[in-house]
């Protein structure tokens, strides 16, 4: 590779206790929790709103929050869902049973309501949010981050900080720090495909039956309707009175860590959104007048980078429903590895895995240990969200938003503890952390 050496003096900023890269579920969970505990928090977000996949990605749905016997969420996540419900931002078909008693079901929400609430909560807790600002790099010495390099419309700046959280989903900051990473496709022949989600309106909910989607997909495939024979269509998910989120159109072979591939995937995703809109109009009762409102600003990436952490959550832990003395959250979503290619073999593999999946029974859950948030040997760096340390299979369970928000709350609280006690991320006293999370209402049996 040809290289160019770039040097210049840039703005130097100080005065923060914690800088967080990325304002998705992991980053917001961390920022609000740390700021409420008195930390001076800078939250750096590349887009113009908070929420990450839940807003810019139009994944306006929270997965499982109850295991059928009890809720698995607590703390900030519980506060978010209750507040969204009270303010009418949860879609009409859902109520509190979906996070207290109903077994393993998600719920849809209004992405604009979510953005508004996150703005308000950040403002109320004193988080400084910097939109349209990208974390580019970091200066590190001996597994310690001294500060990070940002860029926005004002130019570059170096922000000195004693603690840092990477909540970029793609582990952009951790990778820039030189910490060990697992890259998508490293251990598998292909990368799990992303999807560009979209917002749809004009659905007649008196007629529409989500259970009939698959049968319609099979009919359309038999007619040769689709440009790619993708049988795995998660489909429409009600997210408001008159609208729905559409999760359809796998972007096979797209690599979120390759800009050319990512760019191509966005164009392909927009094309597929129109194709699926047409499919629903033609084949699914109640969708005859369905209209595509918008596609997402962010590609729905399922797999890019996962850190190598102090601990790793594995499929064995999932199968054993393992709990941990230092667990920072519990969760109950099943593993979910999407098809890697639109081939009959892949669908057979997917269905077999899904049918034989070790689904959690009522009352079951597994724990998320603290060490999955800490890049191995790092002293003042944490991650929160999809890029946590987990094998691919179990990542398909805990990358979902409720788990990411709970990881965020734990990472933010751990950073505050480190600031107050001088402890390091990789040797933090986890008994103190767990107590502190419980004091904040975390659901840690
Ligand atoms: C198609 C699809 C469907 C899904 N369905 C569901 C579902 O039904 N229910 C559910 O709960 N979960 C679902 N998920 C999973 C979930 O949405 C994500 O895994 C989760 O949002 C990850 O949270 P995160 O905080 O790690 O990252 P993200 O949500 O990706 O947020 C990362 C944020 O960081 C910002 N960022 C990135 N790089 C930088 C940078 N360098 N500097 C500054 N900011 C940066 C981004 O703009 C973004 O706002 C789905 C995911 C996909 C892709």
């Amino acid at each position: 590779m040809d290289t160019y050496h770039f040097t210049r003096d840039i703005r130097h900023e100080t005065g923060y206790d914690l800088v967080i890269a990325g304002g998705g579920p992991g980053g917001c969970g961390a920022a609000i929790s740390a700021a409420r505990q008195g930390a001076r928090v800078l939250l750096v977000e590349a887009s113009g709103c908070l929420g990450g996949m839940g807003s810019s990605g139009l994944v306006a749905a929270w997965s499982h929050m109850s295991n059928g016997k009890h809720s698995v969420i607590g703390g900030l996540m519980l506060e978010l869902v209750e507040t969204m419900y009270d303010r009418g931002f949860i879609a009409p078909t859902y109520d509190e049973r979906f996070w207290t008693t109903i077994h393993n079901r998600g719920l849809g929400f209004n992405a604009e309501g979510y953005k508004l609430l996150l703005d308000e909560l950040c403002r109320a807790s004193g988080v400084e949010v910097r939109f349209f600002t990208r974390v580019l790099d970091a200066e590190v010495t001996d597994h310690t981050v001294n500060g990070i390099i940002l860029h926005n419309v004002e130019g570059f700046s170096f922000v000195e900080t004693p603690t840092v959280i990477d909540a970029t989903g793609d582990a952009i900051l951790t990778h820039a720090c030189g910490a060990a990473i697992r890259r998508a496709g490293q251990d598998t022949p292909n990368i799990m495909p992303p999807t560009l989600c979209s917002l749809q309106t004009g659905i007649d909910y008196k007629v529409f039956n989500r259970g009939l989607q698959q049968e319609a997909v099979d009919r359309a495939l038999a007619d040769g309707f689709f440009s790619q024979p993708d049988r795995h269509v998660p489909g429409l998910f009600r997210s408001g009175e008159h609208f729905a989120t559409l999760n359809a159109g796998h972007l096979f072979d797209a690599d979120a860590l390759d800009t050319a591939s990512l760019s191509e995937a966005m164009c392909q995703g927009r094309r597929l959104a129109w194709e699926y809109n047409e499919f629903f109009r033609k084949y699914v009762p109640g969708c005859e007048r369905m209209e595509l409102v918008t596609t997402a600003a962010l590609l729905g990436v399922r797999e890019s980078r996962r850190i190598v952490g102090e601990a790793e959550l594995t499929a064995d832990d999932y199968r054993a429903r393992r709990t941990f003395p230092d667990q920072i959250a519990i969760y109950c979503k099943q593993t979910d590895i999407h098809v890697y290619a639109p081939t009959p073999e892949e669908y057979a593999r997917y269905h077999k895995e899904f049918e034989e999946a070790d689904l959690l029974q009522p009352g079951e859950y597994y724990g998320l240990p603290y060490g999955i948030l800490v890049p191995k040997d790092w002293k003042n760096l944490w991650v929160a969200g999809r890029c946590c340390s987990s094998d691919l299979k179990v990542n398909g369970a805990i990358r979902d938003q409720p788990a990411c928000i709970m990881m965020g709350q734990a990472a933010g609280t751990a950073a505050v503890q480190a600031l107050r006690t001088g402890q390091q991320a990789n040797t933090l006293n986890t008994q103190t952390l767990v107590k502190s999370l419980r004091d904040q209402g975390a659901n840690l049996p």
Side-chain angles (χ1 to χ4, degrees):
M1 183 178 56
D2 195 13
T3 59
Y4 176 78
H5 187 68
F6 176 71
T7 46
R8 77 151 56 149
D9 286 337
I10 60 173
R11 192 152 59 109
H12 182 183
E13 299 186 67
T14 55
Y16 298 104
D17 297 319
L18 168 63
V19 178
I20 300 170
C28 287
I32 295 164
S33 307
R36 283 178 176 176
Q37 293 169 69
R40 291 165 300 174
V41 179
L42 175 64
L43 178 58
V44 181
E45 168 52 45
S47 74
C49 66
L50 299 174
M53 275 300 127
S55 55
S56 302
L58 289 177
V59 179
W62 280 319
S63 294
H64 316 17
M65 290 178 278
S66 156
N67 65 6
K69 289 255 167 83
H70 60 83
S71 182
V72 294
I73 58 165
L76 181 64
M77 182 63 227
L78 181 61
E79 178 185 335
L80 282 177
V81 69
E82 286 179 344
T83 312
M84 291 276 283
Y85 185 61
D86 287 348
R87 292 177 65 170
F89 296 149
I90 299 289
T93 31
Y94 310 103
D95 55 41
E96 53 265 84
R97 291 170 306 141
F98 282 77
W99 62 92
T100 54
T101 50
I102 291 184
H103 187 215
N104 291 352
R105 290 274 307 278
L107 60 75
F109 58 79
N110 182 313
E112 280 304 319
Y114 186 42
K115 288 182 201 171
L116 181 72
L117 179 61
L118 292 174
D119 283 343
E120 290 173 0
L121 292 178
C122 280
R123 194 156 294 183
S125 57
V127 175
E128 181 182 329
V129 180
R130 237 179 254 183
F131 287 130
F132 304 117
T133 306
R134 190 166 274 276
V135 171
L136 302 180
D137 211 337
E139 187 194 81
V140 303
T141 349
D142 184 26
H143 294 96
T144 305
V145 182
N146 306 320
I148 60 173
I149 311 276
L150 310 179
H151 185 263
N152 57 25
V153 71
E154 297 169 41
F156 290 95
S157 66
F158 175 75
V159 186
E160 213 174 293
T161 174
T163 57
V164 183
I165 296 175
D166 181 350
T168 57
D170 295 330
I172 289 171
L173 178 59
T174 313
H175 179 63
C177 287
I181 294 284
R182 293 180 191 82
R183 189 205 195 283
Q186 178 182 308
D187 309 317
T188 46
N190 293 311
I191 296 172
M192 200 175 351
T195 298
L196 187 66
C197 292
S198 59
L199 193 66
Q200 313 278 339
T201 188
I203 300 145
D204 182 351
Y205 279 111
K206 290 193 279 306
V207 178
F208 174 68
N209 177 351
R210 195 165 189 265
L212 299 179
Q213 283 181 156
Q214 190 58 45
E215 180 263 335
V217 170
D218 291 341
R219 262 189 299 124
L221 280 166
D223 291 351
F225 177 88
F226 294 114
S227 58
Q228 61 179 13
D230 186 356
R231 285 197 67 221
H232 182 183
V233 182
L236 280 178
F237 205 93
R238 189 169 188 178
S239 48
E241 177 82 40
H242 300 291
F243 51 83
T245 293
L246 177 61
N247 176 353
H250 287 111
L251 296 157
F252 296 105
D253 301 321
D255 181 354
L257 300 178
D258 174 316
T259 316
S261 179
L262 193 61
S263 305
E264 178 56 30
M266 288 300 287
C267 299
Q268 179 73 347
R270 284 190 277 269
R271 194 188 63 69
L272 285 177
W274 281 109
E275 185 173 305
Y276 278 95
N277 184 264
E278 199 45 42
F279 153 73
F280 274 92
R281 288 172 74 110
K282 189 165 173 195
Y283 287 91
V284 182
C287 296
E288 294 79 1
R289 301 185 66 196
M290 190 168 110
E291 203 176 343
L292 171 59
V293 179
T294 184
T295 54
L298 281 183
L299 185 65
V301 174
R302 297 189 167 88
E303 199 196 341
S304 57
R305 293 192 189 102
R306 287 167 285 127
I307 64 155
V308 176
E310 286 289 326
E312 182 189 42
L313 196 70
T314 66
D316 275 350
D317 297 324
Y318 169 85
R319 277 190 288 269
R321 315 291 187 248
R322 193 155 288 134
T323 55
F324 303 87
D326 64 345
Q327 67 196 15
I328 47 88
I330 58 168
Y331 203 43
C332 64
K333 162 95 193 299
Q334 84 277 6
T335 58
D336 185 13
I337 303 287
H338 282 233
V339 289
Y340 282 95
T343 61
E345 296 75 30
E346 256 304 279
Y347 289 100
R349 193 270 308 156
Y350 174 76
H351 278 289
K352 186 162 181 285
E353 264 189 28
F354 201 79
E355 274 153 27
E356 292 173 4
D358 187 8
L359 295 178
L360 283 95
Q361 300 305 308
E364 290 188 335
Y365 58 84
Y366 47 87
L368 276 60
Y370 167 71
I372 68 171
L373 305 179
V374 184
K376 189 149 181 43
D377 299 329
W378 283 74
K379 298 174 186 168
N380 66 345
L381 172 64
W382 292 261
V383 304
R386 176 166 60 81
C387 58
C388 68
S389 177
S390 45
D391 71 16
L392 182 62
K393 189 141 186 136
V394 87
N395 191 262
I398 63 171
R399 67 167 184 251
D400 279 14
Q401 295 173 71
C404 293
I405 290 170
M406 294 190 284
M407 284 188 240
Q409 179 151 25
T413 303
V416 170
Q417 183 177 322
L419 285 161
R420 291 205 177 129
T421 61
Q423 293 167 10
Q424 295 179 182
N426 59 337
T427 53
L428 197 90
N429 181 328
T430 52
Q431 274 186 334
T432 312
L433 175 66
V434 169
K435 179 175 179 313
S436 174
L437 287 169
R438 283 199 180 118
D439 290 347
Q440 295 169 56
N443 188 345
L444 294 172

